[in-house]
Amino acid sequence: MAVYTQLSAEVLADLVAEYDVGELVSAKGIAEGVSNSNWLVETTGSEKNGKRFILTMYERRIDIAELPFFLGLLDHLAANGCPVPRTIHDRSGASSRMLHGKAVALIEFLPGVSVDHPTPQQARSVGRVLAEMHEAAQDFPGTRANNLDPHASVRVLADCGRDALAKIDAALPGVVPVAEEIADGWPQGLPQSVIHSDLFPDNVLMLGDTVSALIDFYFACNDAMAYDLAVTHAAWSFSGDGHDYRAEVGQALVDGYESVRALSPAEREALPVLAQGAALRFISSRAQDWIDTPADALVTKKDPMDFFRRLEFYRANGAEVFAA
């Protein structure tokens, strides 16, 4: 259950009163998510802000000093027509508040469902909206460095140690020299914007084949747009365990992206390595979580080998997959 802090009805009502959204009607904890407490909030509404919202209390893994970047990005993208929930500002104009010593934000609720087995049509829509987001973010004034690049993955894997990696899977220590190779050869000078960098299917809401919302921008940063496409490709184009590559989905994703923003020759050439770096990022973070999570924790561990298989696929087939 992703509600780490319990809030009484009275506290929630007082908090809602700080916004121009009417009076609190109901608040239901949301089970999804692992880092923050979330509630679906319904109010009597206001003409300006509607009736349904997501209330988030930031519990861990997010530097509160970076909240203005994340929340400001939502507002910027929403104002530029992207399907992104805007932040509801309180009566003083602030995008976040402190409650019980923790930061909270009220965010617009957008309808839609996440898909488990995307169709090519859905992937095309995601690619198109990703490119539109990149273009809309070009003039966003905020900046944030990517602290999860391949060099960071190398450090994480080193901290894990080969023996601990081998306990997850005997093949996993073999990723260490590959990670060093990827980091050393990481493409430079590619066109940049603010990127989402974590656009898995559960961070996209859809109504049929239409993207209704991109959510969870808490890994957003300034980096190469082609890298964001590679992350999304790795997240959308395979079976969950990484055994099966769904070529029609992967191609539709890239085609949808290029229907809005054409890739440069340098970006196209870099995509095989960028996709390997994307897989590496999730291998390292999942391995770290696997090792650090107590055995009795009520958390489902995510297998780093799901992305190890993606990494192997991109190393063997990346040039063919991303050929123009």
Side-chain angles (χ1 to χ4, degrees), residues 149-152 154 177-188 273 277 280:
D149 65 9
H151 295 284
V154 170
V178 175
E180 294 169 349
E181 176 188 329
I182 293 170
D184 290 343
W186 195 240
Q188 302 295 320
V273 175
L280 175 64

Side-chain angles (χ1 to χ4, degrees), residues 128-191:
R128 183 177 66 253
V129 170
L130 181 65
E132 291 170 350
M133 188 209 84
H134 288 164
E135 293 196 336
Q138 290 285 340
D139 59 350
F140 178 63
T143 58
R144 179 178 182 268
N146 183 0
N147 57 11
L148 296 172
D149 65 9
H151 295 284
S153 295
V154 170
R155 292 192 295 271
V156 168
L157 291 169
D159 289 342
C160 290
R162 288 176 179 265
D163 290 344
L165 294 174
K167 290 180 181 178
I168 300 173
D169 191 284
L172 194 52
V175 80
V176 173
V178 175
E180 294 169 349
E181 176 188 329
I182 293 170
D184 290 343
W186 195 240
Q188 302 295 320
L190 299 176

Side-chain angles (χ1 to χ4, degrees), residues 238-257:
F238 293 81
S239 59
D241 59 11
H243 278 294
D244 301 316
Y245 173 61
R246 302 182 64 210
E248 70 284 2
V249 172
Q251 187 60 53
L253 179 74
V254 176
D255 289 346
Y257 187 91

Side-chain angles (χ1 to χ4, degrees), residues 30 40-41 49 51-54 85-86 88 106-112 205 213:
I30 299 173
L40 173 61
V41 172
N49 291 318
K51 296 182 178 182
R52 304 186 80 188
F53 312 92
I54 300 297
R86 62 191 173 93
I88 307 300
L106 195 66
I107 298 171
E108 179 184 25
F109 173 86
L110 293 177
L205 304 181

